[in-house]
Amino acid sequence: MRQLLGRRTVLTAAALAGTLALAGCSDSGSKSGSGSGSGKAALSVSGAYIPQPVSADMAAGFLTITNKGGAKDELTSVTSDAAGQVTMHSTMGGAMQEQSSFAIPAHGQLVFKSGGNHLMFEKLKRQPKQGQTVTVRLTFATSGPLTVEMPVKSATYNPSTGH
């Protein structure tokens, strides 16, 4: 009996270790970097969406990038198969200005929201419709790229998160 319990414990521990190792590898592409105590950025994306565009050739996109890591990073570019180009903009005092990059502070956030920082999908290859998703690739200065599925919401969508 003791040998059976010992073998069962070893098998359970091995299965748990295997599951944890696989969980670390099965990331859906919404995180990058490592733990929050490290000297690296640990990035994740939330609240991503695109309001259904009223224009046939241009759309806006919003999301939040959270960095739980101990080092800053920088969003350097955004691409999407749905658009000829995706540009990043800041809005201050009602004036919109294209940016080549955005800083993401250690233990902080970069927020793209209506009326503020935002993504512009230009030269749309197809006009996204409500209920569809648009895939974007976020490229960073030091962390690996993230691929994010952005759902297309109604043109008047106003999330509770304030985006």
Side-chain angles (χ1 to χ4, degrees):
M1 182 75 160
R2 178 181 240 173
Q3 188 176 16
L4 179 61
L5 285 176
R7 183 178 290 168
R8 192 176 276 168
T9 301
V10 168
L11 290 174
T12 302
L16 180 59
T19 301
L20 291 174
L22 287 175
C25 295
S26 67
D27 197 306
S28 64
S30 64
K31 295 181 182 176
S32 178
S34 59
S36 60
S38 74
K40 296 182 180 180
L43 306 176
S44 63
V45 175
S46 62
Y49 77 97
I50 295 174
Q52 182 172 310
V54 294
S55 164
D57 61 347
M58 191 176 291
F62 309 105
L63 53 84
T64 297
I65 302 170
T66 300
N67 182 359
K68 292 186 178 178
K72 67 179 180 172
D73 206 340
E74 193 173 354
L75 178 63
T76 57
S77 70
V78 181
T79 58
S80 175
D81 289 342
Q85 72 179 38
V86 182
T87 55
M88 302 179 289
H89 294 89
S90 62
T91 304
M92 292 189 190
M96 183 174 75
Q97 183 172 356
E98 187 171 336
Q99 301 293 323
S100 60
S101 65
F102 277 96
I104 308 162
H107 306 290
Q109 291 185 325
L110 169 60
V111 178
F112 290 91
K113 64 180 182 175
S114 183
N117 299 337
H118 59 279
L119 304 176
M120 290 299 301
F121 294 79
E122 300 172 23
K123 302 175 189 167
L124 291 174
K125 296 176 183 176
R126 60 175 171 77
Q127 187 174 8
K129 302 289 183 202
Q130 185 175 341
Q132 296 177 336
T133 59
V134 172
T135 303
V136 297
R137 181 179 170 99
L138 308 174
T139 303
F140 301 92
T142 58
S143 298
L146 294 177
T147 300
V148 178
E149 296 293 322
M150 298 182 76
V152 180
K153 302 290 189 176
S154 73
T156 57
Y157 179 69
N158 187 14
S160 60
T161 58
H163 288 220

